[in-house]
Amino acid sequence: MTATAEAASTRLSPLARAKAILGGSAGNLVEWYDWFAYAAFTLYFAPAFFPKGDQTVQLLQAAAVFFLGFVARPIGAWLMGLYADHAGRRAALSVSVALMCGGALIIAITPGFKTIGLWAPAILLFARVLQGLSVGGEYGASATYMSEMAGKARRGFWSSFHYVTLIAGQLLALAVLIILQRFLGEAELKAWAWRVPFVIGALLAVVVFWIRRGLEESIAFKRPAQRETLSRGQVISAAVFLVLTVISGVLGVTTGPLARPGQILGAVFLVLFFVSLIVPLVRRHPRESLLIMGLTAGGSLTFYVYTTYMQKFLVNTAGFSKGQASEISALSMIGFMLLQPLAGWLSDRFGRRPMLILAFGGGALTIWPIMTGVSQTASVTTALVLILAGMTFQSCYTSISAVVKAEMFPAEIRALGVALPYALANVLFGGTAEMVALAFKHGGLESTFYLYVAGVMTLGLICSVILKDTRHHSLIHED
């Protein structure tokens, strides 16, 4: 049987396709709600876990824990990617949401610094690592599942709902924030109400766990295929470097003479750990892995600038109130969400590559005037229009981020191939976006950060130009 005939024989009905997309989307929404709830409520819970210092210092400390959650994402991507390629997409999706539930619940019930001292930030870090493992595994499994379950003719459109639900999760976190801000005072939010969103997230995750257990497995995984094997040497080297990273990190947070060497060695061993994870994949699929990392660098950095960091930028730099900043962020995210299916549909008509070139080329040219304009305006409307302009370019990447990556890899290694390069680039650029921006601001060089973002987006533009249009060269044959 030819590949075309085989694809036709396994084509999903419209109802089955919609059920699969909606089922995968529901879990994706809850995963990202839990992830972004941390960022949305940082302004309120940072003093509870990091009581010393001014507001910018507290935000830097909370951002450091946010970054360490990103560090866990490549581990989750590696473990869940392998699991999804061996046990199935559905099984990996169920495990990832269970981890997210545990992380959210721990944050919700952990006492503050005044009650248990240094245990408070330590437990917060542990919970964030659990969430990092979850999100790292979620991206590859859900992006692969939704891309495989979407039909060939409308794969860009249907897979764009991966980012629709990602953004919807962030919007849900913002909605909870705005509601609490409307009905409670700042003192109550800082005292106890910041725990509410994490309780909500844990309860929603339990519901989604049962939903995902009932999902249909993707046709691409069901087909007999030679699965990628994991060498014992890779496991041993990764485990050794991870243990050395943890030991060095523990030394790095002490106050003795070993603190500085511990920090340096921790960074070195962490890099070696990541290298041990990615090298086997790069050896098998060098072009695809490196292109995904380049695209993700520009795309993730810009996404976190316009979403997670923008709320703090509106307060600390532009001078808006916290309530105004939350409302601007919510309105801009609604517009951003609605742009995703349109941009995905356009990629089905005109190709993935032109959309990526528009995203990174336009984004690199406009990031400076947009950020400068937002920082200098006192108008809510002007700030909203400027942010939406940047998000319009960004949507040309985010809408097809999942499908472009999934179309580059064969089914037997697709989940790992999508997840791991993405997660590593996210650590370096998405996870550090807020820390780098706040560090530039703390040093009085905030506008230099705009140039940094433009430079990383230029890297994404170069990768877009090099990339073959995956709409015409897709390795997903199922329809």
Side-chain angles (χ1 to χ4, degrees), residues 294-325:
L295 293 171
T296 302
S300 291
L301 173 60
T302 311
F303 176 80
Y304 281 99
V305 168
Y306 282 130
T307 57
T308 303
Y309 176 64
M310 183 56 70
Q311 186 182 3
K312 300 172 184 63
F313 182 81
L314 288 167
V315 173
N316 288 346
T317 299
F320 291 99
S321 69
K322 291 177 182 178
Q324 287 176 317

Side-chain angles (χ1 to χ4, degrees), residues 351-377:
R352 323 287 189 225
R353 186 167 171 265
M355 299 296 288
L356 292 174
I357 291 174
L358 180 61
F360 292 111
L365 290 174
T366 57
I367 186 67
W368 178 283
I370 287 173
M371 297 298 285
T372 302
V374 171
S375 70
Q376 295 176 353
T377 186

Side-chain angles (χ1 to χ4, degrees), residues 153-178:
R154 292 289 179 264
R155 185 162 284 133
F157 172 78
W158 284 114
S159 63
S160 72
F161 284 87
H162 183 263
Y163 249 92
V164 169
T165 51
L166 187 156
I167 297 167
Q170 186 166 1
L171 277 172
L172 183 58
L174 278 173
V176 173
L177 174 62
I178 290 171

Side-chain angles (χ1 to χ4, degrees), residues 427-441:
V427 170
L428 296 174
F429 298 97
T432 60
E434 193 171 324
M435 280 199 303
V436 172
L438 289 170
F440 273 118
K441 177 178 176 58

Side-chain angles (χ1 to χ4, degrees), residues 133-146:
L133 292 171
S134 171
V135 172
E138 168 71 18
Y139 182 86
S142 62
T144 298
Y145 180 80
M146 294 178 72

